[in-house]
Amino acid sequence: MRAYGIDLSSPLMLGTALYDSPAILADSVRRGRPGAVTVSLRRESAGLQAGQAFWELVRGFDVPVLPNTAGCHTVREAVTTAQMAREVFETDWIKLEVIGQGDLLQPDVFALVEAARILNEEGFKVFPYMTEDLVVAERLLRAGCEVLMPWGAPIGSGRGLNNLFGLRALRAHFPEVPMVIDAGIGRPSHAVTAFELGFDAILINTAVAKAGDPAAMAEAFRLACDVGQLAKTADPMDERDMAVPSTPTLGKASFAS
């Protein structure tokens, strides 16, 4: 996937939260080979040894870092967090999250668009976490975003792609816009479906970090990305309502009764 002029080495983006140990995280990154890793500013405690150690670990992965504004609920909070993240992580990339509903962690799309406008004007490269709403997508693009990150399902739910119609419509309406399915993917099969729909990348955290074997699951998602992209390129057959024989009937031998 190409995002803001940068070609990512893999369509898999991997979150760095929730792992039981730094060693498990590092092994998961090694086997998943992500094109980018996401990290929250809250994981980086400026001036504290633990925070500095984590940041050094992330630096060692040698992949692009996408800081996020996880946990922010207002425009001001999200913008301030993004500004701090740019200083700490030395990048103008930001995954913009503005949460409006607590139970489902659903984005506040009104605040999201406003925060995106402000951050784009300040030179950020904004990756907005959004619903699959076409109007929201249009507003974010007008605000200066060049990448969209629609959810598949609520964060950490593992439910996969809840609204196939909505996601398919979003992809069809903006065919040239890089899009990342963010949140809700729980299994590699969900990832395959996302790529078959034409999405460019996926972002995974909980499904890897809380698997029984996180590193193996990271590798499984890497392979699923390859399978999904190959399947999309191969142009899958259309679904049909009626059966069609796979063996030709022309030239079939006939037997007298």
Side-chain angles (χ1 to χ4, degrees), residues 29 33 47 74 108 155 224 247:
V29 171
R33 303 177 198 169
T74 67
D108 179 340
I155 294 172
T247 302

Side-chain angles (χ1 to χ4, degrees), residues 67-69 78-79 94-98 112 115-116 119 126-129:
N68 64 43
T69 61
V79 169
I94 192 73
K95 179 193 169 190
L96 180 60
E97 298 182 31
V98 187
L112 178 68
L119 292 174
V126 180
F127 295 68
Y129 167 59

Side-chain angles (χ1 to χ4, degrees), residues 90-228:
E90 301 173 344
T91 178
D92 55 8
W93 281 22
I94 192 73
K95 179 193 169 190
L96 180 60
E97 298 182 31
V98 187
I99 301 301
Q101 204 283 332
D103 292 333
L104 298 180
L105 299 180
Q106 183 166 333
D108 179 340
V109 296
F110 305 101
L112 178 68
V113 171
E114 177 61 14
R117 182 191 63 78
I118 294 171
L119 292 174
N120 277 304
E121 289 177 353
E122 293 186 4
F124 282 88
K125 308 296 189 297
V126 180
F127 295 68
Y129 167 59
M130 55 175 286
T131 59
E132 67 278 18
D133 189 289
L134 294 175
V135 177
V136 174
E138 180 64 37
R139 297 290 175 84
L140 287 168
L141 294 173
R142 288 181 188 173
C145 297
E146 297 181 13
V147 176
L148 299 176
M149 301 185 77
W151 67 349
I155 294 172
S157 68
R159 297 180 60 88
L161 307 181
N162 273 355
N163 184 359
L164 289 176
F165 173 81
L167 290 171
R168 189 178 290 112
L170 182 66
R171 179 70 284 179
H173 275 73
F174 305 101
E176 304 302 322
V177 177
M179 292 191 192
V180 183
I181 293 292
D182 176 22
I185 290 181
R187 300 175 183 274
S189 57
H190 300 157
V192 173
T193 301
F195 287 107
E196 288 179 344
L197 289 175
F199 288 90
D200 303 285
I202 58 171
L203 197 162
I204 307 292
N205 193 163
T206 309
V208 169
K210 305 317 292 182
D213 186 338
M217 187 60 74
E219 183 175 358
F221 272 109
R222 174 175 62 81
L223 295 172
C225 290
D226 293 341
V227 169

